[in-house]
Amino acid sequence: MSRSLSPLIALFALAVLYALPAIAPRAMVQDLFGILTLLVLAMNWNLLAGFAGLVSVGQQAFVGIGAYAMFAAIILMGLDPLVGVVIGGIAAAVFAVPMAFFAFRLNGAYFAIGTWVVADIARLAISQWKALGGGTGTSLPKGTAKEMAFVDGIKEMLDVSTAAAADALTYWLMLSLAVAMLVASYIFLRSRMGLGLQAIRDNENAARSVGVDPLKLKAAVFLLTAFATGLCGALAFIQITRVTPDAAFSVIDWTAFVIFITVIGGIGTLPGPIVGVVVFYALQRALADYGTIYLIVLGCLGIAVMLFARRGLWGLFTDRTGIDPLPLRHRPPRVAKPSHSA
Amino acid sequence: MSILSLRSVSKSFGALKVTDDVSFDLQPGEALGIIGPNGAGKSTLFNLITGNIAPDQGQVFLDGRDVTRTPPMQRVVAGVGRSFQIPQPFGDLTVYENLLVAARFGGGLGGREAGVFCMDILDRTGLGPVAEKKAGGLSLLQRKRLELARAMATRPRVILLDEIAGGLTDGECVELVATIRAIHAEGTAIVWIEHVLHALNSVVERLMVLNFGRMLMIGAPDEVMASAQVREIYLGIEA
């Protein structure tokens, strides 16, 4: 029964999420936007670390470059912010090429440190970009939100202020990005490339011996997740409306929390980041009044999960119940065997 | 034309010459056995053929084409399959998925065709009943069979078997040899490193003896085994 019900529940939840700007207060939409941002980042990091074995601590590079490319597109080229978001994604993917060139020479912990260093170099380089405010950053020009495509239509449809309409638009886009990420990850991991990736994760040497090219597959994942992370970063900063190198390239905001979410939810499992982000959000709300205690609790929970449930809460759940609505397993074909031999 | 040729291949690790001027030709469909004491450079020779190690000197040819600089993945696609001495399964994947990776990448098969092909190999290697079990939980015999089955799934024309019968009971060994003989009968060329000589000699047409990286002898198994030099070096029997 639960098997036939779960898609219905998922569809209902999705419908509620899409309807939210029409029925919920603006603060809640903004809140959820932040959560969805972390979800998209976590899904990307999960693909990298959980499936491709690339434990990157430099994902903030792509968020920052996506954000700055979007600002450049608006301020320097006068383009629509939504076009800027796409440019942000492309810029991040382009930056990923030289980054991969250096970082892929490193393995494991060295790769992690290497990506972090590259991200910080990017932060320092962007701080020199005077046209975008240098180290102090810059804001979106006044009226950017008003002139953004679709905002007028949404304003009329929901009967809200321009700012709320812009929030609704970015929220819908981020929600759609999250859904697209989930669907794309599922299709990718079920594909030939995804199968090869899982083989590499289990034994890289053996994978090579059956014809899998680890470098090619890892590079593909690195570039694709850089693109999605760049899109996400650009979109996030439309809503924030102000960018500084420190905020856009923050390792805490864009990578540390994301690692935490993925690890407690279930690294290397598809629904893990969703579970993780729900837990993260619940903790954030419950502990919002306690200041630093909140971070301490997060840290302790993260350690506990790493020690006692290495595949996270979702891994624990599937191990206990056997329920897995998004299975990545390939089942053998049912061959109708002839009863007589020819 | 030979399917696999080595021309004066040499490889040193530091001062140690592990492969020293080795040349041989393998005909399509032929089975060649390789014996030699531990440390004679047998597994290194395999790594030179698969491309996991690059030779210092000499060339490797597949179908007459020089593949000395070709990366391992492309050599698999070109038809060189291998099994590892110590089984290296994809532990978190099922037995079926282990083969599916090989069939879809090395074998170049797609979709349902790949699936049916893999199930056929699993049935032939006696792994059908555990097809949907995680490979990490298999017994030693099953792991050895999986090594063979996964190599077969890359659709090799030359299959390299590295001590696949080692550590098995006599009964298990007989079953495995029957499977290998069946693969050979279908026309797949085999290069087989083995210490279990009766298993090896029941399949191969030629036997090569390696000692300190050098090819000591190559020829019909009876002649090689009868050689005084081989008996002394390999079997430790005073001639």
Side-chain angles (χ1 to χ4, degrees):
Chain A
M1 195 186 74
S2 67
R3 199 157 289 224
S4 54
L5 261 178
S6 57
L8 282 178
I9 294 169
L11 271 180
F12 179 72
L14 203 58
V16 170
L17 282 173
Y18 268 105
L20 214 67
I23 54 179
R26 192 179 152 202
M28 193 175 173
V29 173
Q30 287 177 336
D31 242 23
L32 264 162
F33 177 85
I35 288 301
L36 285 170
T37 307
L38 287 175
L39 176 60
V40 171
L41 294 175
M43 286 195 282
N44 277 294
W45 193 79
N46 187 37
L47 273 180
L48 271 177
F51 288 98
L54 296 167
V55 182
S56 165
V57 190
Q59 292 309 98
Q60 66 276 15
F62 304 124
V63 172
I65 283 172
Y68 266 93
M70 184 269 296
F71 270 75
I74 296 170
I75 296 172
L76 305 179
M77 294 186 268
L79 295 170
D80 188 274
L82 298 186
V83 179
V85 169
V86 177
I87 291 176
I90 294 167
V94 168
F95 181 73
V97 175
M99 184 165 172
F101 182 79
F102 290 113
F104 274 41
R105 284 151 199 271
L106 307 169
N107 270 319
Y110 298 95
F111 177 84
I113 303 290
T115 48
W116 193 351
V117 168
V118 174
D120 231 42
I121 292 170
R123 177 180 67 85
L124 292 168
I126 291 274
S127 307
Q128 304 303 313
W129 197 353
K130 294 289 183 287
L132 289 177
T136 50
T138 187
S139 297
L140 283 180
K142 273 215 171 82
T144 303
K146 207 158 93 182
E147 287 157 18
M148 196 155 56
F150 307 115
V151 165
D152 278 342
I154 294 166
K155 207 174 143 180
E156 266 173 45
M157 189 175 81
L158 299 180
D159 190 23
V160 289
S161 68
T162 305
D167 277 352
L169 176 62
T170 51
Y171 168 82
W172 278 328
L173 287 174
M174 193 59 90
L175 181 58
S176 303
L177 186 57
V179 173
M181 266 306 296
L182 185 66
V183 173
S185 305
Y186 180 70
I187 293 171
F188 178 77
L189 289 170
R190 294 266 318 167
S191 75
R192 173 176 178 271
M193 283 177 93
L195 186 65
L197 217 49
Q198 291 173 68
I200 295 166
R201 183 191 58 190
D202 282 5
N203 189 327
E204 189 161 329
N205 192 32
R208 236 180 255 121
S209 83
V210 296
V212 181
D213 188 342
L215 194 65
K216 214 159 96 181
L217 282 185
K218 286 181 179 189
V221 174
F222 194 71
L223 294 190
L224 287 174
T225 54
F227 175 70
T229 305
L231 281 183
C232 179
L235 202 49
F237 276 87
I238 288 190
Q239 208 245 12
I240 298 168
T241 69
R242 179 169 170 71
V243 72
T244 67
D246 288 347
F249 291 86
S250 163
V251 64
I252 303 284
D253 289 344
W254 309 125
T255 302
F257 283 146
V258 163
I259 293 175
F260 169 82
I261 287 167
T262 314
V263 167
I264 55 164
I267 188 167
T269 69
L270 209 41
I274 300 172
V275 175
V277 92
V278 170
V279 172
F280 180 78
Y281 184 59
L283 281 175
Q284 211 180 34
R285 301 244 85 183
L287 302 170
D289 300 334
Y290 298 96
T292 38
I293 290 183
Y294 152 67
L295 287 171
I296 295 170
V297 171
L298 280 192
C300 291
L301 183 66
I303 292 167
V305 169
M306 275 184 246
L307 287 178
F308 303 114
R310 300 207 54 183
R311 304 261 286 170
L313 298 175
W314 182 257
L316 211 60
F317 174 75
T318 46
D319 286 350
R320 293 279 162 86
T321 61
I323 297 172
D324 190 355
L326 295 171
L328 296 176
R329 282 261 172 271
H330 295 257
R331 306 289 305 273
R334 294 272 156 256
V335 188
K337 287 219 179 85
S339 50
H340 59 88
S341 49
Chain B
M1 184 174 51
S2 334
I3 188 163
L4 171 71
S5 301
L6 270 67
R7 286 282 160 270
S8 308
V9 171
S10 295
K11 176 72 195 177
S12 299
F13 292 131
L16 184 68
K17 209 150 201 189
V18 280
T19 306
D20 190 357
D21 196 25
V22 171
S23 302
F24 69 87
D25 293 293
L26 188 76
Q27 300 311 314
E30 190 190 359
L32 170 71
I34 300 179
I35 63 171
N38 288 325
K42 303 185 295 295
S43 291
T44 302
L45 193 62
F46 270 14
N47 284 326
L48 289 165
I49 297 171
T50 58
N52 289 79
I53 296 176
D56 299 330
Q57 268 144 41
Q59 288 109 40
V60 180
F61 295 89
L62 276 177
D63 302 308
R65 196 166 63 88
D66 188 345
V67 294
T68 314
R69 302 270 164 260
T70 308
M73 296 76 74
Q74 288 170 30
R75 296 196 202 185
V76 180
V77 177
V80 181
R82 72 127 14 133
S83 77
F84 288 99
Q85 184 178 356
I86 297 159
Q88 299 195 13
F90 304 125
D92 267 338
L93 298 186
T94 64
V95 170
Y96 168 73
E97 286 170 326
N98 266 261
L99 265 69
L100 196 61
V101 178
R104 298 198 66 173
F105 282 86
L109 293 176
R112 190 180 157 78
E113 194 190 3
V116 174
F117 177 68
C118 291
M119 282 315 286
D120 181 49
I121 295 176
L122 287 178
D123 285 339
R124 284 175 53 198
T125 47
L127 289 170
V130 292
E132 294 195 67
K133 263 177 97 172
K134 273 195 183 181
L138 296 181
S139 70
L140 176 67
L141 173 64
Q142 287 169 331
R143 280 166 186 247
K144 292 264 183 185
R145 283 185 172 162
L146 179 57
E147 279 295 321
L148 179 62
R150 198 175 60 188
M152 284 165 70
T154 62
R155 300 205 300 166
R157 288 174 305 122
V158 189
I159 193 164
L160 310 177
L161 305 175
D162 197 349
E163 294 195 28
I164 197 143
L168 300 183
T169 66
D170 285 347
E172 290 170 347
C173 189
V174 168
E175 282 180 46
L176 200 65
V177 166
T179 311
I180 293 169
R181 202 178 278 137
I183 298 167
H184 183 37
E186 286 169 13
T188 307
I190 296 176
V191 184
W192 185 3
I193 294 171
E194 193 57 78
H195 284 301
V196 186
L197 292 178
H198 62 87
L200 187 64
N201 288 335
S202 69
V203 175
V204 299
E205 288 114 18
R206 276 199 301 165
L207 202 55
M208 177 202 291
V209 186
L210 278 181
N211 196 29
F212 294 112
R214 287 195 75 88
M215 201 168 80
L216 202 68
M217 216 181 162
I218 187 164
D222 302 352
E223 288 168 29
V224 171
M225 296 311 293
S227 144
Q229 207 182 4
V230 170
R231 293 175 73 83
E232 191 184 331
I233 288 169
Y234 188 56
L235 304 172
I237 298 167
E238 297 268 334

PDB file of all heavy atoms in Angstrom, chain A residues 84-111:
ATOM      1  N   GLY A  84      21.055  36.257 -16.721  1.00  0.00           N
ATOM      2  CA  GLY A  84      22.244  36.287 -15.867  1.00  0.00           C
ATOM      3  C   GLY A  84      22.443  34.982 -15.116  1.00  0.00           C
ATOM      4  O   GLY A  84      23.572  34.515 -14.950  1.00  0.00           O
ATOM      5  N   VAL A  85      21.342  34.375 -14.697  1.00  0.00           N
ATOM      6  CA  VAL A  85      21.429  33.101 -13.970  1.00  0.00           C
ATOM      7  C   VAL A  85      22.039  32.021 -14.867  1.00  0.00           C
ATOM      8  O   VAL A  85      22.939  31.284 -14.450  1.00  0.00           O
ATOM      9  CB  VAL A  85      20.028  32.672 -13.477  1.00  0.00           C
ATOM     10  CG1 VAL A  85      20.063  31.235 -12.968  1.00  0.00           C
ATOM     11  CG2 VAL A  85      19.548  33.597 -12.367  1.00  0.00           C
ATOM     12  N   VAL A  86      21.562  31.973 -16.101  1.00  0.00           N
ATOM     13  CA  VAL A  86      22.097  30.980 -17.041  1.00  0.00           C
ATOM     14  C   VAL A  86      23.577  31.238 -17.295  1.00  0.00           C
ATOM     15  O   VAL A  86      24.404  30.311 -17.306  1.00  0.00           O
ATOM     16  CB  VAL A  86      21.299  31.002 -18.372  1.00  0.00           C
ATOM     17  CG1 VAL A  86      21.906  30.033 -19.365  1.00  0.00           C
ATOM     18  CG2 VAL A  86      19.837  30.679 -18.113  1.00  0.00           C
ATOM     19  N   ILE A  87      23.926  32.534 -17.465  1.00  0.00           N
ATOM     20  CA  ILE A  87      25.332  32.889 -17.655  1.00  0.00           C
ATOM     21  C   ILE A  87      26.147  32.469 -16.429  1.00  0.00           C
ATOM     22  O   ILE A  87      27.272  31.980 -16.551  1.00  0.00           O
ATOM     23  CB  ILE A  87      25.469  34.404 -17.939  1.00  0.00           C
ATOM     24  CG1 ILE A  87      24.870  34.711 -19.312  1.00  0.00           C
ATOM     25  CG2 ILE A  87      26.929  34.854 -17.872  1.00  0.00           C
ATOM     26  CD1 ILE A  87      24.849  36.176 -19.682  1.00  0.00           C
ATOM     27  N   GLY A  88      25.545  32.635 -15.245  1.00  0.00           N
ATOM     28  CA  GLY A  88      26.206  32.211 -14.012  1.00  0.00           C
ATOM     29  C   GLY A  88      26.545  30.727 -14.041  1.00  0.00           C
ATOM     30  O   GLY A  88      27.663  30.322 -13.685  1.00  0.00           O
ATOM     31  N   GLY A  89      25.584  29.924 -14.493  1.00  0.00           N
ATOM     32  CA  GLY A  89      25.824  28.479 -14.586  1.00  0.00           C
ATOM     33  C   GLY A  89      26.938  28.158 -15.565  1.00  0.00           C
ATOM     34  O   GLY A  89      27.847  27.363 -15.275  1.00  0.00           O
ATOM     35  N   ILE A  90      26.888  28.828 -16.713  1.00  0.00           N
ATOM     36  CA  ILE A  90      27.897  28.566 -17.743  1.00  0.00           C
ATOM     37  C   ILE A  90      29.281  29.002 -17.253  1.00  0.00           C
ATOM     38  O   ILE A  90      30.275  28.282 -17.424  1.00  0.00           O
ATOM     39  CB  ILE A  90      27.518  29.297 -19.061  1.00  0.00           C
ATOM     40  CG1 ILE A  90      26.237  28.684 -19.634  1.00  0.00           C
ATOM     41  CG2 ILE A  90      28.656  29.220 -20.074  1.00  0.00           C
ATOM     42  CD1 ILE A  90      25.595  29.488 -20.746  1.00  0.00           C
ATOM     43  N   ALA A  91      29.331  30.173 -16.605  1.00  0.00           N
ATOM     44  CA  ALA A  91      30.623  30.678 -16.101  1.00  0.00           C
ATOM     45  C   ALA A  91      31.226  29.689 -15.106  1.00  0.00           C
ATOM     46  O   ALA A  91      32.430  29.413 -15.132  1.00  0.00           O
ATOM     47  CB  ALA A  91      30.429  32.044 -15.453  1.00  0.00           C
ATOM     48  N   ALA A  92      30.377  29.126 -14.234  1.00  0.00           N
ATOM     49  CA  ALA A  92      30.864  28.164 -13.237  1.00  0.00           C
ATOM     50  C   ALA A  92      31.411  26.919 -13.941  1.00  0.00           C
ATOM     51  O   ALA A  92      32.467  26.401 -13.566  1.00  0.00           O
ATOM     52  CB  ALA A  92      29.739  27.792 -12.278  1.00  0.00           C
ATOM     53  N   ALA A  93      30.686  26.452 -14.968  1.00  0.00           N
ATOM     54  CA  ALA A  93      31.136  25.253 -15.688  1.00  0.00           C
ATOM     55  C   ALA A  93      32.464  25.525 -16.398  1.00  0.00           C
ATOM     56  O   ALA A  93      33.351  24.667 -16.428  1.00  0.00           O
ATOM     57  CB  ALA A  93      30.067  24.814 -16.690  1.00  0.00           C
ATOM     58  N   VAL A  94      32.599  26.742 -16.957  1.00  0.00           N
ATOM     59  CA  VAL A  94      33.851  27.099 -17.639  1.00  0.00           C
ATOM     60  C   VAL A  94      35.005  27.135 -16.636  1.00  0.00           C
ATOM     61  O   VAL A  94      36.092  26.615 -16.896  1.00  0.00           O
ATOM     62  CB  VAL A  94      33.703  28.457 -18.371  1.00  0.00           C
ATOM     63  CG1 VAL A  94      35.059  28.978 -18.832  1.00  0.00           C
ATOM     64  CG2 VAL A  94      32.754  28.310 -19.554  1.00  0.00           C
ATOM     65  N   PHE A  95      34.730  27.702 -15.458  1.00  0.00           N
ATOM     66  CA  PHE A  95      35.771  27.769 -14.424  1.00  0.00           C
ATOM     67  C   PHE A  95      36.159  26.365 -13.949  1.00  0.00           C
ATOM     68  O   PHE A  95      37.309  26.122 -13.548  1.00  0.00           O
ATOM     69  CB  PHE A  95      35.288  28.610 -13.244  1.00  0.00           C
ATOM     70  CG  PHE A  95      36.319  28.740 -12.152  1.00  0.00           C
ATOM     71  CD1 PHE A  95      37.436  29.547 -12.329  1.00  0.00           C
ATOM     72  CD2 PHE A  95      36.195  28.044 -10.953  1.00  0.00           C
ATOM     73  CE1 PHE A  95      38.399  29.664 -11.337  1.00  0.00           C
ATOM     74  CE2 PHE A  95      37.151  28.148  -9.959  1.00  0.00           C
ATOM     75  CZ  PHE A  95      38.255  28.965 -10.155  1.00  0.00           C
ATOM     76  N   ALA A  96      35.199  25.443 -14.012  1.00  0.00           N
ATOM     77  CA  ALA A  96      35.454  24.079 -13.532  1.00  0.00           C
ATOM     78  C   ALA A  96      36.524  23.374 -14.372  1.00  0.00           C
ATOM     79  O   ALA A  96      37.185  22.459 -13.886  1.00  0.00           O
ATOM     80  CB  ALA A  96      34.154  23.271 -13.546  1.00  0.00           C
ATOM     81  N   VAL A  97      36.697  23.817 -15.624  1.00  0.00           N
ATOM     82  CA  VAL A  97      37.676  23.142 -16.490  1.00  0.00           C
ATOM     83  C   VAL A  97      39.113  23.305 -15.976  1.00  0.00           C
ATOM     84  O   VAL A  97      39.777  22.312 -15.699  1.00  0.00           O
ATOM     85  CB  VAL A  97      37.530  23.611 -17.960  1.00  0.00           C
ATOM     86  CG1 VAL A  97      38.619  23.001 -18.822  1.00  0.00           C
ATOM     87  CG2 VAL A  97      36.149  23.252 -18.499  1.00  0.00           C
ATOM     88  N   PRO A  98      39.591  24.559 -15.801  1.00  0.00           N
ATOM     89  CA  PRO A  98      40.943  24.680 -15.236  1.00  0.00           C
ATOM     90  C   PRO A  98      41.039  24.159 -13.801  1.00  0.00           C
ATOM     91  O   PRO A  98      42.067  23.617 -13.395  1.00  0.00           O
ATOM     92  CB  PRO A  98      41.231  26.189 -15.291  1.00  0.00           C
ATOM     93  CG  PRO A  98      39.908  26.843 -15.423  1.00  0.00           C
ATOM     94  CD  PRO A  98      39.031  25.880 -16.162  1.00  0.00           C
ATOM     95  N   MET A  99      39.932  24.309 -13.043  1.00  0.00           N
ATOM     96  CA  MET A  99      39.947  23.819 -11.663  1.00  0.00           C
ATOM     97  C   MET A  99      40.149  22.300 -11.651  1.00  0.00           C
ATOM     98  O   MET A  99      40.948  21.781 -10.862  1.00  0.00           O
ATOM     99  CB  MET A  99      38.625  24.178 -10.979  1.00  0.00           C
ATOM    100  CG  MET A  99      38.574  23.800  -9.507  1.00  0.00           C
ATOM    101  SD  MET A  99      37.189  24.660  -8.727  1.00  0.00           S
ATOM    102  CE  MET A  99      37.175  23.903  -7.116  1.00  0.00           C
ATOM    103  N   ALA A 100      39.442  21.608 -12.542  1.00  0.00           N
ATOM    104  CA  ALA A 100      39.586  20.149 -12.624  1.00  0.00           C
ATOM    105  C   ALA A 100      41.002  19.788 -13.061  1.00  0.00           C
ATOM    106  O   ALA A 100      41.600  18.837 -12.569  1.00  0.00           O
ATOM    107  CB  ALA A 100      38.559  19.568 -13.601  1.00  0.00           C
ATOM    108  N   PHE A 101      41.538  20.598 -13.969  1.00  0.00           N
ATOM    109  CA  PHE A 101      42.884  20.336 -14.480  1.00  0.00           C
ATOM    110  C   PHE A 101      43.893  20.249 -13.332  1.00  0.00           C
ATOM    111  O   PHE A 101      44.756  19.373 -13.314  1.00  0.00           O
ATOM    112  CB  PHE A 101      43.273  21.446 -15.462  1.00  0.00           C
ATOM    113  CG  PHE A 101      44.621  21.262 -16.087  1.00  0.00           C
ATOM    114  CD1 PHE A 101      44.788  20.373 -17.146  1.00  0.00           C
ATOM    115  CD2 PHE A 101      45.723  21.959 -15.614  1.00  0.00           C
ATOM    116  CE1 PHE A 101      46.033  20.195 -17.714  1.00  0.00           C
ATOM    117  CE2 PHE A 101      46.967  21.779 -16.186  1.00  0.00           C
ATOM    118  CZ  PHE A 101      47.120  20.900 -17.230  1.00  0.00           C
ATOM    119  N   PHE A 102      43.755  21.151 -12.356  1.00  0.00           N
ATOM    120  CA  PHE A 102      44.668  21.111 -11.206  1.00  0.00           C
ATOM    121  C   PHE A 102      44.220  20.099 -10.149  1.00  0.00           C
ATOM    122  O   PHE A 102      45.002  19.272  -9.698  1.00  0.00           O
ATOM    123  CB  PHE A 102      44.790  22.508 -10.577  1.00  0.00           C
ATOM    124  CG  PHE A 102      45.541  23.465 -11.446  1.00  0.00           C
ATOM    125  CD1 PHE A 102      44.907  24.544 -12.029  1.00  0.00           C
ATOM    126  CD2 PHE A 102      46.897  23.272 -11.694  1.00  0.00           C
ATOM    127  CE1 PHE A 102      45.595  25.425 -12.856  1.00  0.00           C
ATOM    128  CE2 PHE A 102      47.601  24.139 -12.509  1.00  0.00           C
ATOM    129  CZ  PHE A 102      46.946  25.224 -13.097  1.00  0.00           C
ATOM    130  N   ALA A 103      42.937  20.164  -9.785  1.00  0.00           N
ATOM    131  CA  ALA A 103      42.464  19.368  -8.640  1.00  0.00           C
ATOM    132  C   ALA A 103      42.487  17.865  -8.941  1.00  0.00           C
ATOM    133  O   ALA A 103      42.693  17.059  -8.040  1.00  0.00           O
ATOM    134  CB  ALA A 103      41.058  19.811  -8.247  1.00  0.00           C
ATOM    135  N   PHE A 104      42.303  17.481 -10.210  1.00  0.00           N
ATOM    136  CA  PHE A 104      42.235  16.056 -10.533  1.00  0.00           C
ATOM    137  C   PHE A 104      43.593  15.370 -10.436  1.00  0.00           C
ATOM    138  O   PHE A 104      43.687  14.164 -10.543  1.00  0.00           O
ATOM    139  CB  PHE A 104      41.620  15.841 -11.919  1.00  0.00           C
ATOM    140  CG  PHE A 104      40.116  15.786 -11.881  1.00  0.00           C
ATOM    141  CD1 PHE A 104      39.415  16.658 -11.078  1.00  0.00           C
ATOM    142  CD2 PHE A 104      39.409  14.866 -12.628  1.00  0.00           C
ATOM    143  CE1 PHE A 104      38.031  16.625 -11.015  1.00  0.00           C
ATOM    144  CE2 PHE A 104      38.023  14.823 -12.575  1.00  0.00           C
ATOM    145  CZ  PHE A 104      37.338  15.710 -11.771  1.00  0.00           C
ATOM    146  N   ARG A 105      44.647  16.166 -10.258  1.00  0.00           N
ATOM    147  CA  ARG A 105      45.947  15.548 -10.006  1.00  0.00           C
ATOM    148  C   ARG A 105      46.059  15.093  -8.557  1.00  0.00           C
ATOM    149  O   ARG A 105      47.020  14.441  -8.178  1.00  0.00           O
ATOM    150  CB  ARG A 105      47.054  16.570 -10.284  1.00  0.00           C
ATOM    151  CG  ARG A 105      47.263  16.756 -11.750  1.00  0.00           C
ATOM    152  CD  ARG A 105      47.754  18.141 -12.102  1.00  0.00           C
ATOM    153  NE  ARG A 105      47.492  18.354 -13.505  1.00  0.00           N
ATOM    154  CZ  ARG A 105      48.344  18.037 -14.466  1.00  0.00           C
ATOM    155  NH1 ARG A 105      49.506  17.527 -14.166  1.00  0.00           N
ATOM    156  NH2 ARG A 105      48.029  18.218 -15.727  1.00  0.00           N
ATOM    157  N   LEU A 106      45.080  15.506  -7.745  1.00  0.00           N
ATOM    158  CA  LEU A 106      45.126  15.196  -6.319  1.00  0.00           C
ATOM    159  C   LEU A 106      44.064  14.145  -5.993  1.00  0.00           C
ATOM    160  O   LEU A 106      43.057  14.033  -6.682  1.00  0.00           O
ATOM    161  CB  LEU A 106      44.858  16.459  -5.504  1.00  0.00           C
ATOM    162  CG  LEU A 106      45.743  17.652  -5.852  1.00  0.00           C
ATOM    163  CD1 LEU A 106      45.216  18.911  -5.182  1.00  0.00           C
ATOM    164  CD2 LEU A 106      47.170  17.381  -5.427  1.00  0.00           C
ATOM    165  N   ASN A 107      44.318  13.416  -4.892  1.00  0.00           N
ATOM    166  CA  ASN A 107      43.375  12.381  -4.494  1.00  0.00           C
ATOM    167  C   ASN A 107      42.927  12.586  -3.062  1.00  0.00           C
ATOM    168  O   ASN A 107      43.667  13.118  -2.247  1.00  0.00           O
ATOM    169  CB  ASN A 107      44.024  11.003  -4.624  1.00  0.00           C
ATOM    170  CG  ASN A 107      43.789  10.419  -6.001  1.00  0.00           C
ATOM    171  OD1 ASN A 107      42.691  10.533  -6.534  1.00  0.00           O
ATOM    172  ND2 ASN A 107      44.823   9.840  -6.580  1.00  0.00           N
ATOM    173  N   GLY A 108      41.717  12.135  -2.777  1.00  0.00           N
ATOM    174  CA  GLY A 108      41.216  12.076  -1.405  1.00  0.00           C
ATOM    175  C   GLY A 108      41.308  13.401  -0.671  1.00  0.00           C
ATOM    176  O   GLY A 108      40.793  14.421  -1.129  1.00  0.00           O
ATOM    177  N   ALA A 109      42.006  13.389   0.471  1.00  0.00           N
ATOM    178  CA  ALA A 109      42.096  14.577   1.316  1.00  0.00           C
ATOM    179  C   ALA A 109      42.805  15.719   0.575  1.00  0.00           C
ATOM    180  O   ALA A 109      42.460  16.883   0.749  1.00  0.00           O
ATOM    181  CB  ALA A 109      42.843  14.246   2.602  1.00  0.00           C
ATOM    182  N   TYR A 110      43.760  15.359  -0.278  1.00  0.00           N
ATOM    183  CA  TYR A 110      44.492  16.391  -1.023  1.00  0.00           C
ATOM    184  C   TYR A 110      43.576  17.090  -2.021  1.00  0.00           C
ATOM    185  O   TYR A 110      43.673  18.285  -2.247  1.00  0.00           O
ATOM    186  CB  TYR A 110      45.698  15.779  -1.741  1.00  0.00           C
ATOM    187  CG  TYR A 110      46.692  15.180  -0.778  1.00  0.00           C
ATOM    188  CD1 TYR A 110      46.662  13.832  -0.472  1.00  0.00           C
ATOM    189  CD2 TYR A 110      47.633  15.990  -0.146  1.00  0.00           C
ATOM    190  CE1 TYR A 110      47.557  13.283   0.430  1.00  0.00           C
ATOM    191  CE2 TYR A 110      48.532  15.464   0.758  1.00  0.00           C
ATOM    192  CZ  TYR A 110      48.502  14.107   1.044  1.00  0.00           C
ATOM    193  OH  TYR A 110      49.369  13.580   1.938  1.00  0.00           O
ATOM    194  N   PHE A 111      42.657  16.293  -2.595  1.00  0.00           N
ATOM    195  CA  PHE A 111      41.684  16.876  -3.511  1.00  0.00           C
ATOM    196  C   PHE A 111      40.800  17.868  -2.755  1.00  0.00           C
ATOM    197  O   PHE A 111      40.529  18.972  -3.237  1.00  0.00           O
ATOM    198  CB  PHE A 111      40.827  15.762  -4.139  1.00  0.00           C
ATOM    199  CG  PHE A 111      39.748  16.267  -5.052  1.00  0.00           C
ATOM    200  CD1 PHE A 111      40.026  16.571  -6.376  1.00  0.00           C
ATOM    201  CD2 PHE A 111      38.453  16.439  -4.590  1.00  0.00           C
ATOM    202  CE1 PHE A 111      39.031  17.038  -7.221  1.00  0.00           C
ATOM    203  CE2 PHE A 111      37.452  16.912  -5.425  1.00  0.00           C
ATOM    204  CZ  PHE A 111      37.749  17.212  -6.743  1.00  0.00           C
TER     205      PHE A 111
END
